[in-house]
């Protein structure tokens, strides 16, 4: 069984109330999700709380996963959403400053041991213009908001949204083709 199908089967079992399936799903997916939320929140205690919220949502919303949907992407979007919600709800004195990245986590892009999927994604990112590639990486890899990107790139937020949408569409086209 492919990992995609295995995760999908586990989510289906979780939707049916199978606690062992939930434990297995957590074991298989939590390292990836934790890396994402830690990268966004930069504090382990906040990342742990975001993970708890994310897995509560996964468990309660497992029945909403469609058969043709990628379960890992679905879970990543839930975890990312929980992390961003937590970042946005911080008190003003504890606001996330995207320009200060003093705490660096393990960087999968810098690792010499990349998965074939990551290598393919990086190849596709390399086909984008430098500014658009940087914009995507800052948004999805470092968690920058449209507003922060707008300040950094000295462009209005609606333009940033449009550029991001076009870049994501281009990436989808590149990934759809075999390189």
């Amino acid at each position: 069984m492919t990992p995609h199908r295995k995760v999908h089967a586990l989510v289906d079992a979780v939707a049916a109330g199978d606690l062992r399936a939930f434990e297995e799903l957590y074991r298989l997916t939590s390292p990836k999700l934790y890396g994402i939320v830690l990268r966004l929140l930069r504090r382990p205690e906040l990342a742990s709380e975001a993970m708890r919220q994310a897995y509560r949502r996964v468990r309660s919303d497992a029945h909403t996963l469609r058969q043709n949907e990628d379960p890992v992407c679905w879970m990543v979007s839930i975890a990312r959403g929980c992390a961003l919600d937590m970042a946005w709800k911080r008190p003003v004195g504890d606001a996330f400053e995207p320009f200060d990245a003093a705490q660096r986590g393990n960087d999968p892009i810098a690792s010499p041991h990349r998965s074939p999927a990551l290598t393919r994604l990086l190849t596709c990112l390399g086909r984008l213009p430098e500014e658009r590639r940087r914009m995507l990486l800052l948004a999805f890899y470092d968690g920058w908001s449209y507003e922060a990107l707008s300040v950094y790139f000295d462009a209005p937020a609606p333009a940033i949204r449009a550029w991001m949408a076009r870049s994501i569409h281009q990436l989808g086209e590149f990934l759809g083709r075999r390189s």
Side-chain angles (χ1 to χ4, degrees), residues 7-93:
V7 172
H8 214 300
L10 288 170
V11 172
D12 289 344
V14 167
D18 185 340
L19 186 56
R20 288 189 194 269
F22 184 69
E23 290 170 353
E24 179 67 7
L25 180 68
Y26 181 84
R27 189 187 66 72
L28 286 175
T29 59
S30 62
K32 176 182 217 105
L33 298 185
Y34 183 75
I36 291 167
V37 298
L38 182 61
R39 182 77 180 172
L40 290 171
L41 295 170
R42 308 219 190 271
R43 292 190 12 212
E45 68 279 4
L46 292 176
S48 294
E49 178 57 31
M51 288 289 286
R52 280 189 289 281
Q53 289 176 12
Y55 277 97
R56 276 194 292 268
R57 279 202 43 213
V58 165
R59 191 169 179 194
S60 68
D61 295 352
H63 65 282
T64 66
L65 180 65
R66 296 184 306 266
Q67 271 314 112
N68 62 344
E69 195 171 6
D70 182 334
V72 176
C73 288
W74 177 75
M75 292 178 70
V76 164
S77 101
I78 289 172
R80 188 174 184 278
C82 289
L84 290 175
D85 284 348
M86 184 169 288
W88 291 327
K89 290 177 185 173
R90 287 188 195 171
V92 174

